[in-house]
Amino acid sequence: MRGVVMHAPGDVRVQDRPDPIIEQPTDAVIRVTASCICGSDLWPYRGAEPVHDAPMGHEYIGVVEQVGGDVKDIQVGDYVVGSFVASDNTCEICRAGFQSRCVHQVMMGAIGTQAEKARIPLADGTLVKVPGEPTEAQARSLLAASDVLGTGWFAAVAAEAGPGKTVAVVGDGAVGLLGILAAKRLGAERIIAMSRHAERQTLARTFGATDVVEERGEAGIAKIKELTDGYGAHSTIEAVGTQESMTQAIGATRPGGHVGYVGVSHGVELDGLDLFFATVNLLGGPAPVRRFLPELIDLIMRDQIDPGVVFDLELPLEDAAEGYKAMDERRATKVLLTV
Amino acid sequence: MRGVVMHAPGDVRVQDRPDPIIEQPTDAVIRVTASCICGSDLWPYRGAEPVHDAPMGHEYIGVVEQVGGDVKDIQVGDYVVGSFVASDNTCEICRAGFQSRCVHQVMMGAIGTQAEKARIPLADGTLVKVPGEPTEAQARSLLAASDVLGTGWFAAVAAEAGPGKTVAVVGDGAVGLLGILAAKRLGAERIIAMSRHAERQTLARTFGATDVVEERGEAGIAKIKELTDGYGAHSTIEAVGTQESMTQAIGATRPGGHVGYVGVSHGVELDGLDLFFATVNLLGGPAPVRRFLPELIDLIMRDQIDPGVVFDLELPLEDAAEGYKAMDERRATKVLLTV
């Protein structure tokens, strides 16, 4: 089959890779109908993480082609969505809603779903069947559910966005934007997008942002306080992963408030005493997307949400290299790869 | 009046200090009937924090002697308990239960309650009247409520200790021990005290610990995992404030679990990526003791809890220097000063 491989920073190629097979009786093999490029794929692309001949991609929708002997709930022909972490969905961690830290977790990025096919470990726990036949727009939204929507949703839930709450969102990439959508669906009263890109501000407002703050750092924190009677936001979503974004998120949150952080941390150090006196709730990490998939699929198939609009560039799998380039150069927010 | 002053690290003296007066119409002045020495008073005593001619003490019970013109709820003659942070109890932060970060907060440590009298700012918000006349044992427990009990209680609530939960407790000082008492009252199924002092282990078991772990660091984390089917504790109380104790607390907690940290942070740095993959809820800071005071006073006056037993040395105020020495040399867990 054809699949994307990153040979070195900046060197992305589409090439022949071995067809996946059932390796464990709990595996399934799916025909990928669409995949995409993640903001986190840019870290190795830019040399911020080591990379060498790595298959790429961890987001996917597709149709089941084969199942192992122990797979009970998923069948050949099912149209499915899964998270970027395969999970058994039965251990205590999964049952508590933290499937991204399942005791048997497999990171799908190590398998590489920017490809024609993919092996899905722990298929019964990982995959969720989509009822009916999605439209093209619904399929794009289902693909978003696989990571960026599910991650933004988790960030909003971790930040305890809800009725009566003012939510600040640090980061205007796909995850931050879909965090806004999630906060809106969860009933937040006011949503402040921190963004200085005109197009992303527009999308932020489409998803439910009531205010936009262009300032960053200390000035950004001061602006959030000014907008909240000096208190700070009740809930803050952090969707970048840098020292500046974490400091900004914690500083923008009132004592007793909640920070949901989902940007993969790069070089972040938190000073214990600053955190002590911030007195905020912190919850973050790889999002347990699987927890939210049934609800998100339902909302998408009933056309209640349209997260798929974050894809602003669509390319065939063979042109993946151009997709990476476009995201790296910020010409695209999120690239969909059709297979 | 007589009061404790720390002139320099290790140099504690009881001396004449000016009688407190009503400075603001929201103030009260109380006659302190008992105060105590806090574990946090040892940081400057040991030179870990700068100190120069500072009045000491932030825990207190006493009887109201004077009130300012705007004080409505507290009256002369009331027997009262307050927290180590004075708070208006009306701002949005207070109403959300985070009175220790009130927008008008005053740290009582700056006033110094190891003294015959003390000015209490924001008296209506800060002080809670005790119904009836406490016995000697109840008075000791009420004094504990002023900080160490309230702080341990907050840590247990922040860690979401409750029915069905396994709670690990890092730190066997007064706060850690009373965190055990709180976790027990909150219904925790299993409480693991991390302690290597025989006497404190005994007290931990008295307060409700079901297990004791003597190992620390990586070995301590491994032991907690061994006791919890490999998952880690649901809830962890951190009551020390060092790099080792925070690392141990986060490491002992399962993904999706909760860490309540109340040890005043000294030199702690948290690595963002470690925290990201720990995927635990973190909440800590100066405890909003005021939130819990009405409930704690009620439990104490109905003899449902006896936190006052953490005081293992009782001295007259004039002998405060000996009390500091005893705590510094670990001959006492917690020293009560009678006034």
Side-chain angles (χ1 to χ4, degrees):
Chain A
M1 67 166 185
R2 303 288 287 170
V4 175
V5 174
M6 192 180 292
H7 288 260
D11 181 4
V12 168
R13 303 182 210 167
V14 180
Q15 63 189 56
D16 287 331
R17 285 181 51 205
D19 276 351
I21 55 166
I22 300 289
E23 295 177 12
Q24 302 287 333
T26 47
D27 287 349
V29 169
I30 67 166
R31 175 169 58 78
V32 176
T33 55
S35 185
C36 49
I37 302 171
C38 184
S40 66
D41 294 333
L42 296 182
W43 293 107
Y45 188 82
R46 292 170 174 164
E49 279 176 13
V51 64
H52 180 67
D53 290 350
M56 296 299 293
H58 50 262
E59 297 149 292
Y60 54 98
I61 54 173
V63 177
V64 177
E65 284 205 333
Q66 297 175 60
V67 294
D70 289 350
V71 175
K72 305 252 181 300
D73 303 326
I74 294 296
Q75 298 182 323
V76 171
D78 285 351
Y79 190 98
V80 290
V81 186
S83 139
F84 62 93
V85 184
S87 55
D88 63 25
N89 215 25
T90 57
C91 75
E92 282 194 28
I93 307 301
C94 283
R95 281 186 281 141
F98 282 83
Q99 292 92 337
S100 52
R101 296 298 317 284
C102 171
V103 294
H104 297 118
Q105 68 173 73
V106 180
M107 298 304 288
M108 292 301 299
I111 287 175
T113 61
Q114 292 165 4
E116 289 178 307
K117 297 184 182 190
R119 180 177 73 88
I120 312 292
L122 306 163
D124 276 342
T126 305
L127 297 173
V128 181
K129 183 181 173 179
V130 176
E133 191 71 32
T135 64
E136 206 172 301
Q138 286 169 339
R140 272 196 298 273
S141 290
L142 292 169
L143 178 61
S146 179
D147 181 352
V148 280
L149 173 62
T151 295
W153 202 275
F154 169 63
V157 168
E160 299 208 350
K165 299 284 187 75
T166 293
V167 181
V169 182
V170 180
D172 61 1
V175 171
L177 291 168
L178 293 173
I180 293 171
L181 178 150
K184 173 76 176 172
R185 286 295 307 187
L186 292 165
E189 187 174 303
R190 191 172 188 188
I191 303 170
I192 307 170
M194 304 192 85
S195 169
R196 39 179 70 172
H197 301 85
E199 283 174 28
R200 296 183 184 196
Q201 289 176 1
T202 303
L203 204 45
R205 288 193 187 274
T206 305
F207 285 146
T210 52
D211 302 80
V212 169
V213 165
E214 297 207 340
E215 290 86 345
R216 290 184 185 173
E218 285 302 319
I221 291 170
K223 191 76 189 177
I224 297 288
K225 291 206 171 154
E226 189 187 317
L227 291 170
T228 54
D229 297 330
Y231 290 117
H234 298 95
S235 305
T236 303
I237 292 173
E238 189 286 330
V240 183
T242 61
Q243 185 71 40
E244 188 192 26
S245 65
M246 276 298 274
T247 304
Q248 189 170 315
I250 293 168
T253 309
R254 65 180 61 195
H258 292 75
V259 177
Y261 64 100
V262 291
V264 181
S265 183
H266 281 75
V268 175
E269 286 278 344
L270 300 179
D271 177 79
L273 199 61
D274 288 348
L275 202 57
F276 188 83
F277 284 106
T279 324
V280 297
N281 296 268
L282 272 191
L283 173 61
V289 172
R290 178 64 182 80
R291 186 203 310 177
F292 307 107
L293 275 181
E295 180 184 359
L296 299 180
I297 291 170
D298 178 64
L299 288 170
I300 290 165
M301 294 305 286
R302 290 191 297 111
D303 293 322
Q304 298 298 299
I305 56 175
D306 189 14
V309 299
V310 294
F311 292 108
D312 50 0
L313 180 60
E314 196 167 317
L315 294 169
L317 179 65
E318 287 296 327
D319 297 342
E322 164 54 21
Y324 275 80
K325 202 153 177 286
M327 275 182 67
D328 178 43
E329 294 168 1
R330 296 185 190 273
R331 285 184 281 116
T333 303
K334 183 82 182 163
V335 175
L336 184 145
L337 299 172
T338 54
V339 187
Chain B
M1 67 165 186
R2 302 289 286 168
V4 175
V5 174
M6 192 180 291
H7 287 261
D11 181 5
V12 168
R13 302 182 210 167
V14 180
Q15 63 189 56
D16 287 331
R17 285 182 51 206
D19 275 353
I21 56 165
I22 300 291
E23 296 178 12
Q24 301 287 333
T26 47
D27 287 349
V29 169
I30 66 167
R31 176 170 56 82
V32 176
T33 55
S35 185
C36 48
I37 302 172
C38 184
S40 66
D41 294 333
L42 296 182
W43 293 107
Y45 188 82
R46 291 171 174 162
E49 281 177 13
V51 65
H52 180 67
D53 290 349
M56 296 299 294
H58 52 262
E59 297 150 290
Y60 54 99
I61 53 173
V63 177
V64 177
E65 284 205 333
Q66 297 175 60
V67 294
D70 288 352
V71 175
K72 306 254 182 300
D73 302 328
I74 294 296
Q75 298 181 323
V76 171
D78 284 352
Y79 190 98
V80 291
V81 186
S83 139
F84 61 94
V85 184
S87 55
D88 63 24
N89 214 26
T90 57
C91 75
E92 282 193 28
I93 306 301
C94 283
R95 281 186 281 140
F98 283 83
Q99 291 92 338
S100 52
R101 294 299 318 284
C102 171
V103 294
H104 297 117
Q105 68 173 71
V106 179
M107 299 303 288
M108 291 302 299
I111 286 175
T113 62
Q114 292 165 5
E116 290 179 304
K117 299 185 180 190
R119 182 176 71 89
I120 311 292
L122 304 164
D124 276 342
T126 305
L127 298 173
V128 181
K129 183 182 173 179
V130 176
E133 191 71 29
T135 64
E136 207 173 299
Q138 286 170 339
R140 272 196 298 273
S141 290
L142 292 169
L143 179 60
S146 180
D147 182 351
V148 281
L149 172 61
T151 295
W153 202 276
F154 169 62
V157 168
E160 299 207 350
K165 299 284 187 73
T166 293
V167 181
V169 182
V170 179
D172 61 2
V175 171
L177 291 168
L178 292 173
I180 292 170
L181 178 151
K184 174 74 176 173
R185 284 296 309 188
L186 292 165
E189 186 173 305
R190 192 174 188 188
I191 302 170
I192 308 171
M194 305 193 85
S195 170
R196 39 178 70 174
H197 301 84
E199 284 174 28
R200 297 184 182 195
Q201 290 175 2
T202 303
L203 204 46
R205 289 194 188 272
T206 304
F207 285 147
T210 52
D211 303 79
V212 169
V213 165
E214 298 207 341
E215 292 85 347
R216 291 184 184 173
E218 284 303 319
I221 292 170
K223 191 75 188 179
I224 297 287
K225 291 208 171 152
E226 189 188 316
L227 290 170
T228 54
D229 296 332
Y231 291 116
H234 298 95
S235 305
T236 303
I237 292 172
E238 189 285 331
V240 183
T242 62
Q243 185 71 40
E244 189 192 26
S245 65
M246 275 299 274
T247 304
Q248 191 169 313
I250 293 168
T253 309
R254 66 180 59 193
H258 292 75
V259 177
Y261 64 100
V262 291
V264 181
S265 184
H266 281 76
V268 174
E269 285 279 344
L270 299 179
D271 178 78
L273 199 61
D274 289 348
L275 202 58
F276 187 84
F277 285 105
T279 323
V280 296
N281 297 267
L282 271 192
L283 173 60
V289 171
R290 179 62 183 81
R291 188 203 309 178
F292 307 107
L293 275 181
E295 180 184 0
L296 300 180
I297 292 170
D298 179 64
L299 288 170
I300 290 165
M301 294 305 286
R302 290 192 297 111
D303 293 323
Q304 298 298 297
I305 55 176
D306 189 14
V309 300
V310 295
F311 292 108
D312 51 0
L313 181 59
E314 196 166 317
L315 295 169
L317 178 66
E318 287 297 324
D319 296 343
E322 165 54 22
Y324 275 81
K325 201 153 178 286
M327 275 182 66
D328 178 45
E329 293 168 1
R330 296 186 190 274
R331 286 183 281 116
T333 304
K334 183 81 181 164
V335 175
L336 184 145
L337 299 173
T338 54
V339 186

